[in-house]
Amino acid sequence: MEKMKVLLVCAGGMSTSILMQKMSKYWQENGLALDIKAVGLSEYQDVFQHYDIVMVGPQVSYRMKEIIENTALPTAAIPSFDYAMANCPNIMKLAQKLYAEK
């Protein structure tokens, strides 16, 4: 399977970088390749061209419409509970659903 390229967008990139590490580990444990990067709202437009999907932290989900318009990539907000608990199985399901739309 080809490597899934996920761009995580949050307010500043800090809390998302913790989630990013947990997601990378979870994908690896499940035998899947993942290329993931966490960026803040100010950065995503500089890098989105290198990614397949965009996942948005709940704290910036109000900007999702703008992100979709700017990137034209499959995009979804990570549910607050899954984000807070770093619920990688649920986040992975959401990512796979988005990836299937690309």
XYZ file of all heavy atoms in Angstrom:
798
model
N 0.838 -1.198 0.000
C 0.000 0.000 0.000
C 0.870 1.245 0.000
O 1.902 1.287 0.661
C -0.896 -0.010 1.247
C -1.878 1.132 1.291
S -2.882 1.047 2.797
C -3.488 2.707 2.801
N 0.447 2.238 -0.758
C 1.242 3.461 -0.795
C 1.109 4.218 0.519
O 0.197 4.007 1.297
C 0.812 4.336 -1.969
C -0.619 4.837 -1.887
C -1.044 5.566 -3.148
O -1.182 4.912 -4.189
O -1.233 6.777 -3.060
N 2.048 5.106 0.736
C 2.087 5.874 1.971
C 1.006 6.948 1.965
O 0.893 7.713 1.008
C 3.468 6.519 2.098
C 3.702 7.216 3.423
C 5.088 7.825 3.471
C 6.100 6.742 3.786
N 7.398 7.306 4.172
N 0.199 6.987 3.028
C -0.821 8.018 3.164
C -0.135 9.295 3.660
O 0.644 9.259 4.610
C -1.877 7.569 4.181
C -3.050 8.526 4.294
S -4.238 8.081 5.611
C -4.812 6.479 5.082
N -0.436 10.408 3.015
C 0.177 11.685 3.396
C -0.883 12.568 4.033
O -1.814 13.019 3.371
C 0.794 12.362 2.177
C 1.924 11.557 1.596
C 2.487 12.198 0.365
C 3.582 11.325 -0.212
N 3.734 11.506 -1.628
N -0.746 12.773 5.346
C -1.743 13.492 6.136
C -1.169 14.817 6.643
O -0.087 14.840 7.235
C -2.188 12.648 7.358
C -3.197 13.407 8.209
C -2.759 11.310 6.905
N -1.907 15.885 6.413
C -1.537 17.189 6.956
C -2.488 17.485 8.105
O -3.707 17.499 7.928
C -1.655 18.272 5.878
C -1.217 19.670 6.294
C 0.267 19.694 6.677
C -1.472 20.666 5.170
N -1.932 17.661 9.311
C -2.731 18.019 10.485
C -2.641 19.530 10.666
O -1.545 20.080 10.699
C -2.162 17.358 11.743
C -2.376 15.881 11.961
C -1.655 15.440 13.237
C -3.847 15.559 12.083
N -3.781 20.177 10.789
C -3.788 21.629 10.971
C -4.420 21.956 12.316
O -5.517 21.486 12.634
C -4.571 22.345 9.843
C -4.565 23.854 10.055
C -3.991 22.002 8.472
N -3.714 22.758 13.109
C -4.279 23.208 14.385
C -3.912 24.673 14.575
O -3.391 25.304 13.659
C -3.792 22.341 15.540
S -2.064 22.563 15.940
N -4.171 25.203 15.749
C -3.931 26.627 15.986
C -2.447 26.964 15.853
O -2.071 27.849 15.101
C -4.477 27.037 17.346
N -1.594 26.227 16.574
C -0.176 26.553 16.523
C 0.732 25.405 16.174
O 1.909 25.589 15.932
N 0.210 24.191 16.174
C 1.037 23.035 15.834
C 1.570 22.283 17.036
O 2.179 21.241 16.889
N 1.329 22.797 18.260
C 1.930 22.157 19.438
C 1.181 20.892 19.876
O 1.748 19.813 19.901
C 2.010 23.143 20.611
C 2.992 24.276 20.385
S 4.609 23.759 19.773
C 5.207 22.853 21.172
N -0.078 21.028 20.239
C -0.820 19.849 20.714
C -0.913 18.806 19.605
O -0.886 17.610 19.857
C -2.214 20.240 21.197
O -2.957 20.833 20.158
N -0.986 19.277 18.391
C -1.109 18.356 17.269
C 0.174 17.567 17.058
O 0.131 16.440 16.589
C -1.490 19.119 15.986
O -2.516 20.025 16.317
C -2.014 18.184 14.925
N 1.321 18.125 17.420
C 2.567 17.383 17.218
C 2.624 16.165 18.139
O 3.179 15.136 17.778
C 3.795 18.281 17.387
O 3.868 18.753 18.699
N 2.005 16.259 19.321
C 1.929 15.105 20.224
C 1.046 14.035 19.580
O 1.402 12.861 19.533
C 1.367 15.529 21.599
C 2.335 16.504 22.269
C 1.114 14.313 22.488
C 1.716 17.298 23.399
N -0.102 14.457 19.072
C -1.018 13.535 18.395
C -0.332 12.912 17.179
O -0.464 11.718 16.921
C -2.291 14.274 17.972
C -3.323 13.443 17.211
C -3.855 12.304 18.079
C -4.470 14.319 16.740
N 0.410 13.713 16.461
C 1.115 13.253 15.266
C 2.049 12.085 15.604
O 2.077 11.086 14.897
C 1.913 14.424 14.684
C 2.701 14.115 13.449
S 3.604 15.578 12.873
C 4.993 15.562 13.984
N 2.784 12.196 16.706
C 3.706 11.134 17.114
C 2.944 9.854 17.448
O 3.346 8.756 17.067
C 4.541 11.585 18.317
C 5.522 12.666 17.958
C 6.119 13.348 19.187
O 5.694 13.134 20.312
N 7.100 14.197 18.946
N 1.811 10.003 18.152
C 1.017 8.830 18.515
C 0.414 8.177 17.271
O 0.358 6.957 17.172
C -0.082 9.228 19.502
C 0.484 9.591 20.852
C -0.588 9.925 21.855
C 0.056 10.222 23.199
N -0.909 10.494 24.244
N -0.032 8.998 16.325
C -0.601 8.460 15.084
C 0.452 7.702 14.293
O 0.193 6.613 13.790
C -1.200 9.592 14.239
C -2.522 10.107 14.780
S -3.098 11.597 13.913
C -3.446 10.948 12.274
N 1.647 8.271 14.182
C 2.737 7.606 13.445
C 3.015 6.235 14.037
O 3.156 5.245 13.317
C 4.018 8.440 13.503
O 3.898 9.569 12.699
N 3.083 6.176 15.362
C 3.359 4.919 16.054
C 2.218 3.924 15.798
O 2.470 2.755 15.494
C 3.508 5.200 17.553
C 3.933 4.011 18.377
C 4.240 4.457 19.810
C 4.776 3.322 20.635
N 3.747 2.562 21.329
N 0.981 4.387 15.897
C -0.171 3.501 15.713
C -0.216 2.941 14.287
O -0.429 1.761 14.076
C -1.471 4.243 16.047
C -2.689 3.357 15.932
C -3.011 2.459 16.938
C -3.497 3.404 14.801
C -4.115 1.626 16.830
C -4.610 2.577 14.682
C -4.916 1.686 15.701
O -5.996 0.868 15.578
N 0.005 3.797 13.303
C -0.004 3.360 11.894
C 1.080 2.299 11.705
O 0.847 1.280 11.080
C 0.271 4.547 10.978
C -0.900 5.066 10.206
C -1.158 4.837 8.892
C -1.962 5.931 10.655
N -2.306 5.507 8.514
C -2.814 6.183 9.570
C -2.269 6.519 11.876
C -3.937 6.979 9.665
C -3.384 7.324 11.965
C -4.210 7.540 10.869
N 2.270 2.573 12.245
C 3.395 1.645 12.113
C 3.057 0.293 12.734
O 3.331 -0.760 12.144
C 4.613 2.247 12.819
C 5.910 1.911 12.179
C 7.027 2.779 12.752
O 6.902 3.372 13.819
N 8.125 2.837 12.040
N 2.443 0.318 13.932
C 2.063 -0.927 14.607
C 1.051 -1.724 13.791
O 0.946 -2.932 13.928
C 1.466 -0.613 15.989
C 2.500 -0.167 16.999
C 1.876 0.433 18.263
O 0.641 0.550 18.351
O 2.659 0.795 19.161
N 0.291 -1.040 12.940
C -0.711 -1.694 12.101
C -0.199 -1.961 10.690
O -0.971 -2.276 9.786
C -1.993 -0.854 12.072
C -2.773 -1.001 13.368
O -3.537 -1.936 13.521
N -2.521 -0.111 14.310
N 1.106 -1.799 10.502
C 1.733 -2.140 9.231
C 1.413 -1.201 8.086
O 1.499 -1.591 6.924
N 1.047 0.043 8.412
C 0.708 1.009 7.366
C 1.737 2.134 7.324
O 2.287 2.525 8.351
C -0.685 1.604 7.622
C -1.834 0.588 7.624
C -3.108 1.237 8.125
C -2.046 0.018 6.240
N 1.972 2.625 6.131
C 2.921 3.724 5.962
C 2.191 5.058 6.097
O 1.113 5.248 5.549
C 3.591 3.627 4.596
N 2.776 5.973 6.840
C 2.162 7.270 7.072
C 3.204 8.362 6.995
O 4.266 8.266 7.595
C 1.497 7.297 8.463
C 0.852 8.611 8.894
C -0.371 8.921 8.032
C 0.440 8.554 10.364
N 2.892 9.387 6.227
C 3.714 10.590 6.165
C 2.817 11.671 6.753
O 1.782 12.006 6.184
C 4.075 10.880 4.708
C 4.923 12.131 4.559
O 5.227 12.787 5.575
O 5.274 12.464 3.413
N 3.178 12.187 7.913
C 2.293 13.115 8.612
C 3.063 14.351 9.064
O 4.225 14.255 9.444
C 1.601 12.393 9.803
C 0.534 13.276 10.424
C 2.602 11.897 10.811
C -0.406 12.521 11.350
N 2.403 15.488 8.965
C 3.023 16.739 9.399
C 1.969 17.580 10.097
O 0.821 17.648 9.653
C 3.564 17.495 8.186
C 4.265 18.810 8.529
C 4.850 19.442 7.283
C 5.500 20.775 7.549
N 6.785 20.669 8.241
N 2.359 18.195 11.213
C 1.461 19.096 11.949
C 1.901 20.537 11.711
O 3.080 20.854 11.860
C 1.509 18.775 13.444
N 0.952 21.362 11.313
C 1.252 22.781 11.074
C 0.158 23.644 11.691
O -0.953 23.189 11.934
C 1.363 23.116 9.570
C 2.521 22.379 8.924
C 0.064 22.836 8.838
N 0.492 24.908 11.899
C -0.492 25.869 12.377
C -1.282 26.443 11.213
O -0.925 26.239 10.043
N -2.333 27.168 11.545
C -3.184 27.775 10.511
C -2.402 28.665 9.554
O -2.730 28.757 8.381
C -4.286 28.618 11.166
C -5.527 27.865 11.619
C -6.407 28.772 12.453
C -6.294 27.320 10.424
N -1.367 29.305 10.060
C -0.609 30.235 9.219
C 0.279 29.525 8.199
O 0.761 30.141 7.260
C 0.246 31.142 10.094
O 1.125 30.350 10.865
N 0.503 28.220 8.383
C 1.456 27.505 7.525
C 0.859 26.584 6.483
O 1.527 26.251 5.501
C 2.380 26.632 8.392
C 3.199 27.375 9.410
C 3.858 26.377 10.345
O 4.835 25.736 9.920
O 3.371 26.226 11.488
N -0.375 26.107 6.681
C -0.875 25.010 5.840
C -0.859 25.334 4.353
O -0.629 24.468 3.526
C -2.264 24.545 6.288
C -3.413 25.410 5.837
C -4.046 25.177 4.619
C -3.859 26.474 6.616
C -5.091 25.980 4.194
C -4.902 27.269 6.201
C -5.516 27.029 4.987
O -6.539 27.825 4.554
N -1.075 26.606 3.994
C -1.116 26.953 2.569
C 0.244 26.813 1.889
O 0.326 26.700 0.677
C -1.651 28.376 2.382
C -3.134 28.475 2.728
C -3.737 29.797 2.292
O -3.770 30.102 1.109
N -4.205 30.558 3.262
N 1.308 26.796 2.692
C 2.655 26.657 2.126
C 3.017 25.211 1.815
O 3.944 24.963 1.060
C 3.701 27.219 3.107
C 3.482 28.697 3.388
O 2.944 29.397 2.510
O 3.836 29.141 4.499
N 2.309 24.251 2.425
C 2.740 22.850 2.310
C 1.670 21.874 1.824
O 1.989 20.729 1.521
C 3.299 22.334 3.663
C 4.555 23.096 4.062
C 2.245 22.402 4.751
N 0.415 22.283 1.753
C -0.669 21.330 1.483
C -0.497 20.560 0.177
O -0.988 19.451 0.038
C -2.046 22.014 1.517
C -2.385 22.795 0.280
C -2.981 22.173 -0.809
C -2.116 24.146 0.208
C -3.298 22.883 -1.962
C -2.427 24.871 -0.931
C -3.012 24.237 -2.019
N 0.232 21.120 -0.787
C 0.405 20.477 -2.101
C 1.084 19.113 -1.987
O 0.972 18.292 -2.883
C 1.255 21.361 -3.030
C 0.714 22.733 -3.269
C 1.114 23.754 -2.189
O 1.580 23.418 -1.110
N 0.917 25.023 -2.481
N 1.764 18.861 -0.881
C 2.513 17.614 -0.702
C 1.710 16.540 0.025
O 2.254 15.490 0.368
C 3.807 17.888 0.070
C 4.642 18.971 -0.541
N 5.290 18.825 -1.740
C 4.893 20.234 -0.126
C 5.915 19.950 -2.036
N 5.691 20.819 -1.078
N 0.408 16.796 0.273
C -0.392 15.885 1.091
C -1.647 15.422 0.359
O -2.115 16.070 -0.561
C -0.744 16.545 2.437
C 0.526 16.754 3.222
C 1.274 17.917 3.062
C 1.037 15.745 4.034
C 2.488 18.080 3.712
C 2.244 15.895 4.680
C 2.964 17.061 4.517
O 4.173 17.200 5.134
N -2.187 14.266 0.815
C -3.390 13.684 0.214
C -4.655 14.189 0.886
O -5.683 14.374 0.245
C -3.373 12.150 0.365
C -2.168 11.513 -0.311
O -1.868 11.905 -1.458
O -1.530 10.642 0.304
N -4.586 14.333 2.215
C -5.763 14.739 2.985
C -5.356 15.743 4.058
O -4.183 15.832 4.426
C -6.466 13.529 3.649
C -5.562 12.851 4.675
C -6.949 12.529 2.599
C -6.267 11.789 5.523
N -6.364 16.458 4.571
C -6.142 17.412 5.655
C -7.046 17.019 6.820
O -8.241 16.791 6.637
C -6.474 18.863 5.215
C -6.247 19.839 6.367
C -5.658 19.271 3.991
N -6.445 16.932 8.005
C -7.229 16.698 9.219
C -7.041 17.921 10.110
O -5.916 18.383 10.306
C -6.779 15.411 9.908
C -6.976 14.199 9.006
S -6.666 12.638 9.828
C -8.266 12.353 10.556
N -8.161 18.416 10.608
C -8.167 19.687 11.325
C -8.441 19.438 12.808
O -9.360 18.691 13.157
C -9.264 20.608 10.728
C -9.310 21.940 11.427
C -9.042 20.789 9.228
N -7.654 20.076 13.660
C -7.899 19.982 15.099
C -9.213 20.666 15.446
O -9.614 21.632 14.787
N -9.902 20.171 16.473
C -11.222 20.723 16.813
C -11.199 22.217 17.123
O -12.158 22.928 16.827
C -11.663 19.925 18.041
C -10.540 19.048 18.421
C -9.504 19.079 17.353
N -10.079 22.711 17.641
C -10.007 24.120 18.016
C -9.978 25.056 16.808
O -10.188 26.253 16.939
C -8.817 24.379 18.957
C -7.435 24.237 18.322
C -6.890 22.824 18.269
O -7.613 21.884 17.967
N -5.600 22.665 18.535
N -9.736 24.525 15.623
C -9.741 25.369 14.414
C -10.753 24.889 13.381
O -10.711 25.303 12.225
C -8.329 25.481 13.767
C -7.369 26.216 14.689
C -7.780 24.121 13.388
N -11.681 24.031 13.813
C -12.654 23.480 12.859
C -13.539 24.571 12.249
O -14.073 24.393 11.160
C -13.500 22.394 13.508
O -14.195 22.904 14.617
N -13.648 25.715 12.919
C -14.425 26.830 12.359
C -13.797 27.381 11.082
O -14.453 28.094 10.318
C -14.589 27.956 13.401
C -13.303 28.679 13.731
C -12.964 29.868 13.087
C -12.409 28.163 14.666
C -11.778 30.521 13.368
C -11.226 28.809 14.955
C -10.919 29.990 14.306
O -9.733 30.629 14.582
N -12.546 27.029 10.806
C -11.855 27.495 9.591
C -11.860 26.433 8.485
O -11.221 26.605 7.446
C -10.393 27.854 9.913
C -10.212 28.957 10.937
C -10.259 30.349 10.359
N -9.219 30.649 9.408
C -8.021 31.159 9.726
N -7.697 31.397 10.968
N -7.155 31.423 8.767
N -12.585 25.333 8.713
C -12.556 24.210 7.767
C -13.004 24.605 6.364
O -12.381 24.201 5.383
C -13.412 23.063 8.290
C -12.737 21.746 8.039
S -13.499 20.417 8.923
C -14.795 20.013 7.807
N -14.061 25.382 6.257
C -14.567 25.780 4.944
C -13.462 26.498 4.147
O -13.228 26.212 2.977
C -15.791 26.689 5.122
C -16.475 27.051 3.818
C -17.794 27.801 4.087
C -18.535 28.040 2.801
N -18.319 29.379 2.254
N -12.780 27.386 4.813
C -11.677 28.128 4.181
C -10.548 27.182 3.761
O -10.011 27.286 2.653
C -11.146 29.162 5.183
C -9.849 29.821 4.772
C -9.111 30.404 5.967
O -9.762 30.894 6.913
O -7.865 30.367 5.942
N -10.214 26.215 4.624
C -9.143 25.257 4.322
C -9.521 24.423 3.095
O -8.703 24.214 2.202
C -8.842 24.375 5.557
C -8.216 25.224 6.668
C -7.932 23.208 5.185
C -8.129 24.548 8.025
N -10.773 23.972 3.043
C -11.243 23.193 1.896
C -11.157 24.029 0.616
O -10.677 23.555 -0.418
C -12.688 22.684 2.126
C -12.689 21.630 3.243
C -13.281 22.106 0.845
C -14.079 21.277 3.764
N -11.596 25.283 0.691
C -11.547 26.161 -0.492
C -10.105 26.398 -0.951
O -9.829 26.438 -2.147
C -12.223 27.501 -0.187
C -13.737 27.378 -0.117
C -14.408 28.654 0.406
O -13.706 29.649 0.721
O -15.656 28.636 0.513
N -9.200 26.533 0.003
C -7.806 26.829 -0.339
C -7.013 25.620 -0.811
O -6.065 25.764 -1.569
C -7.086 27.467 0.857
C -7.566 28.871 1.124
O -8.054 29.563 0.227
N -7.467 29.305 2.357
N -7.386 24.428 -0.349
C -6.577 23.251 -0.679
C -7.243 22.313 -1.685
O -6.544 21.586 -2.380
C -6.282 22.412 0.589
O -7.501 21.858 1.083
C -5.601 23.249 1.665
N -8.577 22.292 -1.726
C -9.343 21.355 -2.561
C -8.998 19.896 -2.241
O -9.125 19.022 -3.088
C -9.142 21.655 -4.047
N -8.559 19.637 -1.022
C -8.245 18.277 -0.584
C -9.358 17.757 0.315
O -10.041 18.542 0.979
C -6.932 18.264 0.220
C -5.647 18.543 -0.541
C -4.480 18.675 0.421
C -5.374 17.453 -1.562
N -9.549 16.422 0.378
C -10.504 15.876 1.344
C -10.087 16.331 2.751
O -8.923 16.169 3.136
C -10.354 14.363 1.191
C -9.800 14.166 -0.186
C -8.919 15.365 -0.427
N -11.018 16.919 3.476
C -10.717 17.537 4.770
C -11.792 17.176 5.781
O -12.973 17.147 5.441
C -10.662 19.076 4.612
O -9.682 19.416 3.631
C -10.313 19.772 5.918
N -11.375 16.931 7.027
C -12.334 16.686 8.100
C -11.747 17.164 9.411
O -10.524 17.192 9.593
C -12.673 15.199 8.200
N -12.642 17.540 10.313
C -12.222 17.893 11.676
C -12.151 16.612 12.497
O -13.021 15.745 12.391
C -13.210 18.863 12.294
N -11.134 16.500 13.307
C -11.021 15.368 14.225
C -11.974 15.658 15.388
O -11.913 16.732 15.978
C -9.570 15.226 14.741
C -8.614 14.959 13.574
C -9.480 14.115 15.791
C -7.146 15.047 13.938
N -12.875 14.725 15.701
C -13.796 14.959 16.823
C -13.029 15.273 18.115
O -11.984 14.683 18.390
C -14.562 13.634 16.940
C -14.464 13.032 15.561
C -13.116 13.445 15.044
N -13.560 16.208 18.908
C -12.880 16.686 20.125
C -12.427 15.561 21.040
O -11.298 15.564 21.528
C -13.796 17.618 20.913
O -14.117 18.729 20.125
N -13.321 14.598 21.285
C -12.979 13.518 22.211
C -11.819 12.685 21.667
O -10.868 12.378 22.391
C -14.198 12.622 22.476
C -13.927 11.530 23.466
C -13.918 11.797 24.832
C -13.656 10.242 23.041
C -13.641 10.790 25.754
C -13.382 9.225 23.957
C -13.376 9.503 25.316
N -11.881 12.329 20.387
C -10.807 11.535 19.780
C -9.491 12.303 19.810
O -8.429 11.729 20.053
C -11.161 11.162 18.330
C -12.298 10.149 18.266
O -12.537 9.447 19.265
O -12.938 10.065 17.198
N -9.569 13.599 19.572
C -8.378 14.450 19.578
C -7.782 14.491 20.983
O -6.586 14.260 21.162
C -8.771 15.851 19.114
C -7.614 16.793 18.941
C -6.924 16.862 17.732
C -7.217 17.640 19.965
C -5.868 17.734 17.553
C -6.164 18.519 19.800
C -5.489 18.563 18.596
O -4.436 19.435 18.426
N -8.623 14.775 21.971
C -8.159 14.903 23.359
C -7.571 13.603 23.887
O -6.584 13.612 24.622
C -9.304 15.368 24.254
N -8.198 12.475 23.509
C -7.762 11.174 24.003
C -6.730 10.516 23.083
O -6.269 9.416 23.355
C -8.962 10.227 24.154
C -10.056 10.751 25.064
S -9.499 11.182 26.727
C -9.149 9.570 27.386
N -6.375 11.189 21.989
C -5.487 10.609 20.968
C -5.987 9.218 20.592
O -5.259 8.238 20.612
C -4.037 10.573 21.431
N -7.283 9.145 20.279
C -7.917 7.877 19.926
C -7.529 7.510 18.487
O -8.275 7.751 17.539
C -9.437 8.006 20.082
C -10.146 6.694 19.877
O -9.655 5.797 19.213
N -11.334 6.584 20.446
N -6.354 6.939 18.364
C -5.798 6.642 17.032
C -6.659 5.700 16.191
O -6.758 5.909 14.984
C -4.369 6.138 17.159
S -3.247 7.442 17.699
N -7.304 4.673 16.773
C -8.151 3.825 15.922
C -9.260 4.626 15.226
O -9.486 4.458 14.026
C -8.726 2.791 16.905
C -7.698 2.710 17.988
C -7.163 4.113 18.122
N -9.929 5.523 15.968
C -10.984 6.334 15.355
C -10.423 7.338 14.355
O -11.000 7.556 13.291
C -11.793 7.079 16.425
C -12.790 6.182 17.127
O -12.906 5.000 16.816
N -13.499 6.735 18.082
N -9.300 7.950 14.702
C -8.685 8.938 13.815
C -8.220 8.252 12.532
O -8.366 8.792 11.439
C -7.533 9.679 14.537
C -8.107 10.511 15.692
C -6.750 10.558 13.562
C -7.069 11.074 16.642
N -7.694 7.032 12.668
C -7.247 6.277 11.497
C -8.425 5.958 10.577
O -8.306 6.075 9.354
C -6.548 5.001 11.939
C -5.948 4.201 10.828
S -5.042 2.836 11.597
C -4.547 1.947 10.170
N -9.572 5.578 11.160
C -10.766 5.307 10.351
C -11.177 6.544 9.572
O -11.520 6.467 8.389
C -11.929 4.851 11.238
C -11.844 3.408 11.652
C -13.067 3.038 12.493
C -12.755 1.832 13.351
N -13.386 1.859 14.647
N -11.168 7.690 10.237
C -11.527 8.952 9.585
C -10.535 9.267 8.458
O -10.931 9.640 7.356
C -11.554 10.087 10.614
C -11.891 11.482 10.098
C -13.287 11.519 9.468
C -11.802 12.506 11.228
N -9.255 9.066 8.718
C -8.224 9.328 7.704
C -8.416 8.409 6.494
O -8.321 8.849 5.346
C -6.823 9.129 8.296
N -8.723 7.143 6.748
C -8.904 6.199 5.642
C -10.134 6.549 4.816
O -10.133 6.422 3.590
C -8.963 4.773 6.168
C -7.603 4.301 6.640
C -7.631 2.968 7.358
O -8.561 2.646 8.083
N -6.582 2.180 7.177
N -11.192 7.033 5.483
C -12.398 7.464 4.775
C -12.063 8.659 3.872
O -12.446 8.690 2.698
C -13.465 7.840 5.813
C -14.784 8.274 5.211
C -15.791 8.540 6.343
C -17.064 9.158 5.820
N -16.985 10.610 5.660
N -11.321 9.626 4.404
C -10.917 10.792 3.614
C -10.026 10.381 2.441
O -10.179 10.858 1.332
C -10.152 11.803 4.480
C -10.957 12.633 5.450
C -10.014 13.435 6.336
C -11.914 13.554 4.726
N -9.090 9.481 2.728
C -8.126 9.041 1.721
C -8.849 8.386 0.542
O -8.451 8.539 -0.602
C -7.118 8.091 2.356
C -5.942 7.762 1.485
C -4.962 8.711 1.237
C -5.799 6.505 0.902
C -3.866 8.420 0.443
C -4.711 6.194 0.100
C -3.740 7.166 -0.117
O -2.670 6.880 -0.917
N -9.930 7.680 0.845
C -10.713 7.018 -0.200
C -11.415 8.044 -1.113
O -11.773 7.718 -2.249
C -11.752 6.093 0.426
N -11.566 9.278 -0.624
C -12.232 10.330 -1.407
C -11.294 11.078 -2.346
O -11.753 11.829 -3.195
C -12.886 11.350 -0.459
C -13.994 10.785 0.376
C -14.464 11.781 1.465
O -14.078 12.959 1.410
O -15.195 11.340 2.360
N -10.000 10.893 -2.174
C -9.059 11.726 -2.959
C -9.038 11.376 -4.431
O -9.455 10.352 -4.865
C -7.656 11.684 -2.365
C -6.901 10.400 -2.633
C -5.507 10.557 -2.120
C -4.646 9.397 -2.531
N -4.157 9.388 -3.873
